[in-house]
Amino acid sequence: TQLLEQSPQFLSIQEGENLTVYCNSSSVFSSLQWYRQEPGEGPVLLVTVVTGGEVKKLKRLTFQFGDARKDSSLHITAAQPGDTGLYLCAGAGTGGFKTIFGAGTRLFVKA
Amino acid sequence: GAVVSQHPSWVICKSGTSVKIECRSLDFQATTMFWYRQFPKQSLMLMATSNEGSKATYEQGVEKDKFLINHASLTLSTLTVTSAHPEDSSFYICSARDHSTGRTYEQYFGPGTRLTVT
């Protein structure tokens, strides 16, 4: 069974600080997505990474896919209160159809 | 593009009644849709995969007779919670894949439906 372990589960930081969220697995994924979800809403796709070692940037967010395609990280620079939310990583297995979700990281950025 | 809607956004029903939730892909055709359940402050739990024109595939532990799924068209899937009980109260979210993009690993989520059973 493929599992995605996400850490930390909860993070409370001050505005302006940097943070990194990790998503790890012992399995290889053909692609990995990062989503952000606000309370009472559905998750919104932030980025998809498909190539080992790939790095993508979305304004202050930097996403990296591990060389072996077993792990990924999300780094936020100079966090803002608007970044508050639940961040979910999700992986599509090689040859598989089902998407596996991590447990999520709940981020709270204090002004 | 790739917009998914859900209706209703919230519903309150009495114990023992049935509730239908609709999931629509607004600007693309979705041969496959997914239904998730989310408890407060937790991640998504996949309930079933809805396939257009065929029976849904349910995850282990999900009662198919209680959570009826119908995917009658390429843009609509419905989830009916039958004989609802308070423990069925939850946030239900659907998602869909847009196969026309070639990025079939990406899912687009609806805004969710909050169900409260009294």
Side-chain angles (χ1 to χ4, degrees):
Chain A
T1 303
Q2 291 181 305
L3 292 174
L4 268 175
E5 295 183 357
Q6 209 172 321
S7 63
Q9 291 186 6
F10 180 80
L11 196 55
S12 179
I13 61 173
Q14 290 292 139
E15 181 178 6
E17 293 183 2
N18 302 332
L19 68 116
T20 302
V21 178
Y22 299 93
C23 191
N24 297 297
S25 176
S26 59
S27 303
V28 175
F29 290 93
S30 59
S31 69
L32 198 139
Q33 292 80 49
W34 285 92
Y35 294 85
R36 178 167 165 265
Q37 183 182 22
E38 296 194 34
E41 299 181 10
V44 175
L45 179 66
L46 295 174
V47 77
T48 296
V49 286
V50 296
T51 306
E54 182 177 6
V55 177
K56 282 191 174 179
K57 290 192 175 184
L58 185 64
K59 295 184 180 178
R60 294 177 293 100
L61 278 60
T62 302
F63 305 86
Q64 187 165 6
F65 203 13
D67 292 340
R69 291 184 293 147
K70 293 182 179 181
D71 55 87
S72 181
S73 64
L74 157 61
H75 182 79
I76 300 179
T77 304
Q80 298 177 0
D83 296 327
T84 294
L86 177 67
Y87 289 82
L88 296 160
C89 65
T94 56
F97 185 74
K98 194 180 298 185
T99 297
I100 309 297
F101 279 86
T105 295
R106 191 163 298 278
L107 171 65
F108 181 66
V109 182
K110 295 174 283 187
Chain B
V3 179
V4 177
S5 70
Q6 266 183 256
H7 179 80
S9 55
W10 60 270
V11 57
I12 301 173
C13 71
K14 292 188 176 182
S15 187
T17 62
S18 296
V19 174
K20 179 185 287 187
I21 303 170
E22 294 184 348
C23 177
R24 294 182 185 272
S25 56
L26 298 185
D27 51 0
F28 65 100
Q29 294 183 332
T31 55
T32 304
M33 290 183 172
F34 303 89
W35 286 97
Y36 293 86
R37 184 172 179 177
Q38 187 176 34
F39 293 101
K41 299 184 179 181
Q42 292 189 23
S43 187
L44 306 174
M45 183 189 78
L46 179 64
M47 299 175 65
T49 301
S50 172
N51 304 298
E52 187 269 335
S54 64
K55 291 182 179 180
T57 304
Y58 290 82
E59 294 301 299
Q60 189 173 9
V62 178
E63 298 176 59
K64 61 180 181 181
D65 294 330
K66 180 168 184 62
F67 298 100
L68 300 178
I69 292 173
N70 186 293
H71 196 150
S73 77
L74 288 172
T75 59
L76 173 65
S77 174
T78 60
L79 168 67
T80 301
V81 183
T82 62
S83 186
H85 288 96
E87 57 265 31
D88 298 325
S89 298
S90 191
F91 193 53
Y92 293 87
I93 310 175
C94 72
S95 71
R97 285 181 169 155
D98 182 358
H99 290 265
S100 69
T101 66
R103 300 188 299 274
T104 56
Y105 38 76
E106 293 179 345
Q107 294 184 43
Y108 299 93
F109 287 86
T113 297
R114 176 143 327 269
L115 169 64
T116 301
V117 184
T118 60

